[in-house]
C-alpha cells in the first residue's frame, strides 16, 4: 500500500503563501487563512506540500481504513483555490452553496477563482458548519 503524503509538516504557512506569485490570489489565501483560523480556533498548518489545514479529524473510508485529515483547509492551485470544507449534510450544504456565489464543486472540494466572487459571510457559515460537524 502506498504511503500517504498528505500529512502535517513543520513548514511555515506564511512562507508557503508568500510563494504565490499572483498578488490577488496571495491576498485571498491570507484572508482564507485568517477566516479558517478564527472558525477552527486553531493556527494553520501545512499538510503535505500544498494544503493549508486547520485542526485534525479521523477520516473513515467505506472500506474501514482511516486517515488523519484537516477539519478544513485550502490549497492555491494554478487555475483556482481549492477549498476543503467537507462533512456537512447534503441538504444544508446545498442551501449554503446556493448562496455562496461563483464556484464549482468536486467530490470533496469547492473551487473558487477569487474571494471577490463569493459571499464571505456564507463562506464563514459553511466553514462553521463543517467545523461543528467534525468536532463532535
Amino acid at each position: 500500500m502506498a504511503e500517504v503524503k498528505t500529512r502535517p509538516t513543520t513548514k511555515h504557512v506564511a512562507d508557503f503563501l508568500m510563494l504565490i506569485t499572483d498578488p490577488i490570489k496571495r491576498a485571498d489565501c491570507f484572508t482564507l487563512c485568517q477566516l479558517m483560523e478564527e472558525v477552527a480556533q486553531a493556527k494553520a498548518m501545512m499538510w503535505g506540500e500544498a494544503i493549508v489545514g486547520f485542526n485534525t479529524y479521523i477520516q473513515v473510508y467505506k472500506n474501514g481504513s482511516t486517515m488523519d485529515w484537516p477539519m478544513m483547509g485550502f490549497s492555491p492551485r494554478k487555475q483556482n483555490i481549492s477549498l476543503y470544507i467537507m462533512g456537512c449534510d447534503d441538504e444544508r450544504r446545498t442551501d449554503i452553496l446556493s448562496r455562496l456565489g461563483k464556484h464549482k464543486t468536486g467530490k470533496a472540494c469547492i473551487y473558487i477563482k477569487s474571494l471577490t466572487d463569493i459571499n464571505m459571510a456564507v463562506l464563514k457559515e459553511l466553514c462553521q458548519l463543517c467545523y461543528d460537524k467534525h468536532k463532535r
Side-chain angles (χ1 to χ4, degrees):
M1 185 170 148
E3 183 179 335
V4 177
K5 294 180 183 176
T6 308
R7 296 179 185 259
T9 72
T10 58
K11 295 179 180 178
H12 295 280
V13 171
D15 293 345
F16 169 70
L17 297 180
M18 288 304 294
L19 295 174
I20 301 169
T21 56
D22 179 330
I24 295 170
K25 186 178 283 187
R26 184 174 53 244
D28 283 354
C29 287
F30 273 104
T31 299
L32 282 169
C33 191
Q34 183 177 7
L35 180 141
M36 290 183 179
E37 281 183 343
E38 180 182 320
V39 171
Q41 302 167 19
K43 285 294 204 188
M45 59 191 304
M46 290 301 301
W47 284 70
E49 296 296 316
I51 295 176
V52 178
F54 304 84
N55 281 336
T56 304
Y57 79 103
I58 298 172
Q59 172 73 32
V60 180
Y61 294 94
K62 288 180 183 178
N63 68 4
S65 65
T66 62
M67 180 174 79
D68 286 346
W69 194 252
M71 285 184 170
M72 70 183 80
F74 67 90
S75 183
R77 305 292 185 186
K78 185 176 183 175
Q79 295 297 318
N80 51 49
I81 300 171
S82 298
L83 303 175
Y84 303 101
I85 310 172
M86 302 162 282
C88 309
D89 66 62
D90 290 335
E91 188 174 309
R92 288 194 65 192
R93 181 180 165 120
T94 300
D95 170 59
I96 292 170
L97 289 177
S98 73
R99 298 182 282 117
L100 181 62
K102 188 176 176 182
H103 71 280
K104 293 182 180 179
T105 57
K107 188 171 185 175
C109 301
I110 299 167
Y111 305 103
I112 63 171
K113 292 275 186 194
S114 170
L115 292 182
T116 59
D117 293 336
I118 62 169
N119 182 317
M120 290 300 289
V122 174
L123 177 60
K124 186 172 183 178
E125 179 184 353
L126 184 60
C127 288
Q128 189 66 56
L129 183 65
C130 175
Y131 175 73
D132 291 344
K133 171 127 184 175
H134 287 310
K135 77 176 185 176
R136 285 187 238 145

